[in-house]
PDB file of all heavy atoms in Angstrom:
ATOM      1  N   ILE I  47     135.514 185.220  99.339  1.00 91.00           N
ATOM      2  CA  ILE I  47     135.762 185.472  97.921  1.00 91.00           C
ATOM      3  C   ILE I  47     136.978 186.385  97.795  1.00 91.00           C
ATOM      4  O   ILE I  47     137.026 187.444  98.435  1.00 91.00           O
ATOM      5  CB  ILE I  47     134.535 186.127  97.250  1.00 91.00           C
ATOM      6  CG1 ILE I  47     133.320 185.204  97.378  1.00 91.00           C
ATOM      7  CG2 ILE I  47     134.821 186.434  95.785  1.00 91.00           C
ATOM      8  CD1 ILE I  47     132.046 185.781  96.790  1.00 91.00           C
ATOM      9  N   MET I  72     125.517 190.866 100.998  1.00 93.00           N
ATOM     10  CA  MET I  72     126.304 191.855 101.741  1.00 93.00           C
ATOM     11  C   MET I  72     127.783 191.639 101.466  1.00 93.00           C
ATOM     12  O   MET I  72     128.265 190.512 101.441  1.00 93.00           O
ATOM     13  CB  MET I  72     126.029 191.728 103.243  1.00 93.00           C
ATOM     14  CG  MET I  72     124.554 191.871 103.619  1.00 93.00           C
ATOM     15  SD  MET I  72     123.949 193.548 103.465  1.00 93.00           S
ATOM     16  CE  MET I  72     124.865 194.335 104.780  1.00 93.00           C
ATOM     17  N   SER I  73     128.500 192.747 101.277  1.00 92.00           N
ATOM     18  CA  SER I  73     129.939 192.706 101.084  1.00 92.00           C
ATOM     19  C   SER I  73     130.637 192.615 102.436  1.00 92.00           C
ATOM     20  O   SER I  73     129.995 192.768 103.484  1.00 92.00           O
ATOM     21  CB  SER I  73     130.394 193.956 100.325  1.00 92.00           C
ATOM     22  OG  SER I  73     130.152 195.114 101.106  1.00 92.00           O
ATOM     23  N   PRO I  74     131.953 192.384 102.470  1.00 92.00           N
ATOM     24  CA  PRO I  74     132.655 192.317 103.764  1.00 92.00           C
ATOM     25  C   PRO I  74     132.556 193.582 104.596  1.00 92.00           C
ATOM     26  O   PRO I  74     132.623 193.526 105.826  1.00 92.00           O
ATOM     27  CB  PRO I  74     134.110 192.039 103.348  1.00 92.00           C
ATOM     28  CG  PRO I  74     134.003 191.354 102.037  1.00 92.00           C
ATOM     29  CD  PRO I  74     132.811 191.981 101.359  1.00 92.00           C
ATOM     30  N   ASP I  75     132.374 194.748 103.949  1.00 90.00           N
ATOM     31  CA  ASP I  75     132.229 196.002 104.705  1.00 90.00           C
ATOM     32  C   ASP I  75     130.766 196.360 104.931  1.00 90.00           C
ATOM     33  O   ASP I  75     130.428 197.531 105.126  1.00 90.00           O
ATOM     34  CB  ASP I  75     132.942 197.144 103.984  1.00 90.00           C
ATOM     35  CG  ASP I  75     132.460 197.300 102.544  1.00 90.00           C
ATOM     36  OD1 ASP I  75     131.639 196.461 102.103  1.00 90.00           O
ATOM     37  OD2 ASP I  75     132.900 198.250 101.869  1.00 90.00           O
ATOM     38  N   SER I  76     129.879 195.331 104.888  1.00 88.00           N
ATOM     39  CA  SER I  76     128.446 195.470 105.223  1.00 88.00           C
ATOM     40  C   SER I  76     127.693 196.392 104.260  1.00 88.00           C
ATOM     41  O   SER I  76     126.724 197.049 104.651  1.00 88.00           O
ATOM     42  CB  SER I  76     128.274 195.991 106.666  1.00 88.00           C
ATOM     43  OG  SER I  76     128.856 195.099 107.583  1.00 88.00           O
ATOM     44  N   LYS I  77     128.110 196.422 103.013  1.00 91.00           N
ATOM     45  CA  LYS I  77     127.366 197.158 101.993  1.00 91.00           C
ATOM     46  C   LYS I  77     126.483 196.183 101.227  1.00 91.00           C
ATOM     47  O   LYS I  77     126.888 195.064 100.909  1.00 91.00           O
ATOM     48  CB  LYS I  77     128.330 197.855 101.031  1.00 91.00           C
ATOM     49  CG  LYS I  77     129.082 199.019 101.643  1.00 91.00           C
ATOM     50  CD  LYS I  77     129.970 199.696 100.596  1.00 91.00           C
ATOM     51  CE  LYS I  77     130.732 200.869 101.205  1.00 91.00           C
ATOM     52  NZ  LYS I  77     131.622 201.517 100.203  1.00 91.00           N
ATOM     53  N   LEU I  79     125.066 194.737  98.153  1.00 93.00           N
ATOM     54  CA  LEU I  79     125.346 194.669  96.727  1.00 93.00           C
ATOM     55  C   LEU I  79     124.116 194.303  95.919  1.00 93.00           C
ATOM     56  O   LEU I  79     124.018 194.637  94.738  1.00 93.00           O
ATOM     57  CB  LEU I  79     126.444 193.629  96.461  1.00 93.00           C
ATOM     58  CG  LEU I  79     127.767 193.838  97.200  1.00 93.00           C
ATOM     59  CD1 LEU I  79     128.716 192.676  96.898  1.00 93.00           C
ATOM     60  CD2 LEU I  79     128.394 195.163  96.824  1.00 93.00           C
ATOM     61  N   GLU I  96     136.981 193.700  96.828  1.00 89.00           N
ATOM     62  CA  GLU I  96     137.859 193.437  97.961  1.00 89.00           C
ATOM     63  C   GLU I  96     137.671 191.998  98.414  1.00 89.00           C
ATOM     64  O   GLU I  96     136.605 191.402  98.231  1.00 89.00           O
ATOM     65  CB  GLU I  96     137.547 194.397  99.117  1.00 89.00           C
ATOM     66  CG  GLU I  96     136.100 194.316  99.606  1.00 89.00           C
ATOM     67  CD  GLU I  96     135.829 195.255 100.760  1.00 89.00           C
ATOM     68  OE1 GLU I  96     136.792 195.592 101.451  1.00 89.00           O
ATOM     69  OE2 GLU I  96     134.665 195.633 100.971  1.00 89.00           O
ATOM     70  N   ALA I  97     138.722 191.466  98.992  1.00 91.00           N
ATOM     71  CA  ALA I  97     138.659 190.103  99.516  1.00 91.00           C
ATOM     72  C   ALA I  97     137.986 190.096 100.885  1.00 91.00           C
ATOM     73  O   ALA I  97     138.125 191.037 101.666  1.00 91.00           O
ATOM     74  CB  ALA I  97     140.069 189.511  99.626  1.00 91.00           C
ATOM     75  N   GLY I  98     137.257 189.033 101.153  1.00 92.00           N
ATOM     76  CA  GLY I  98     136.599 188.926 102.448  1.00 92.00           C
ATOM     77  C   GLY I  98     135.426 187.980 102.391  1.00 92.00           C
ATOM     78  O   GLY I  98     135.214 187.263 101.410  1.00 92.00           O
ATOM     79  N   GLU I  99     134.668 187.979 103.491  1.00 92.00           N
ATOM     80  CA  GLU I  99     133.532 187.075 103.631  1.00 92.00           C
ATOM     81  C   GLU I  99     132.256 187.774 103.175  1.00 92.00           C
ATOM     82  O   GLU I  99     131.829 188.760 103.758  1.00 92.00           O
ATOM     83  CB  GLU I  99     133.395 186.622 105.085  1.00 92.00           C
ATOM     84  CG  GLU I  99     132.358 185.529 105.285  1.00 92.00           C
ATOM     85  CD  GLU I  99     132.305 185.044 106.721  1.00 92.00           C
ATOM     86  OE1 GLU I  99     131.548 185.643 107.500  1.00 92.00           O
ATOM     87  OE2 GLU I  99     133.038 184.099 107.058  1.00 92.00           O
ATOM     88  N   TYR I 100     131.661 187.251 102.126  1.00 94.00           N
ATOM     89  CA  TYR I 100     130.416 187.792 101.583  1.00 94.00           C
ATOM     90  C   TYR I 100     129.240 186.978 102.127  1.00 94.00           C
ATOM     91  O   TYR I 100     129.343 185.767 102.321  1.00 94.00           O
ATOM     92  CB  TYR I 100     130.424 187.745 100.064  1.00 94.00           C
ATOM     93  CG  TYR I 100     131.341 188.766  99.417  1.00 94.00           C
ATOM     94  CD1 TYR I 100     132.717 188.586  99.420  1.00 94.00           C
ATOM     95  CD2 TYR I 100     130.834 189.902  98.809  1.00 94.00           C
ATOM     96  CE1 TYR I 100     133.568 189.520  98.833  1.00 94.00           C
ATOM     97  CE2 TYR I 100     131.666 190.832  98.217  1.00 94.00           C
ATOM     98  CZ  TYR I 100     133.034 190.640  98.230  1.00 94.00           C
ATOM     99  OH  TYR I 100     133.854 191.574  97.657  1.00 94.00           O
ATOM    100  N   SER I 101     128.131 187.671 102.381  1.00 94.00           N
ATOM    101  CA  SER I 101     126.936 187.039 102.952  1.00 94.00           C
ATOM    102  C   SER I 101     125.828 187.001 101.912  1.00 94.00           C
ATOM    103  O   SER I 101     125.548 188.012 101.257  1.00 94.00           O
ATOM    104  CB  SER I 101     126.461 187.795 104.197  1.00 94.00           C
ATOM    105  OG  SER I 101     127.464 187.819 105.187  1.00 94.00           O
TER     106      SER I 101
END
Side-chain angles (χ1 to χ4, degrees):
I47 300 178
M72 303 288 292
S73 64
D75 55 356
S76 300
K77 290 182 180 179
L79 304 176
E96 58 179 336
E99 188 176 88
Y100 287 75
S101 300

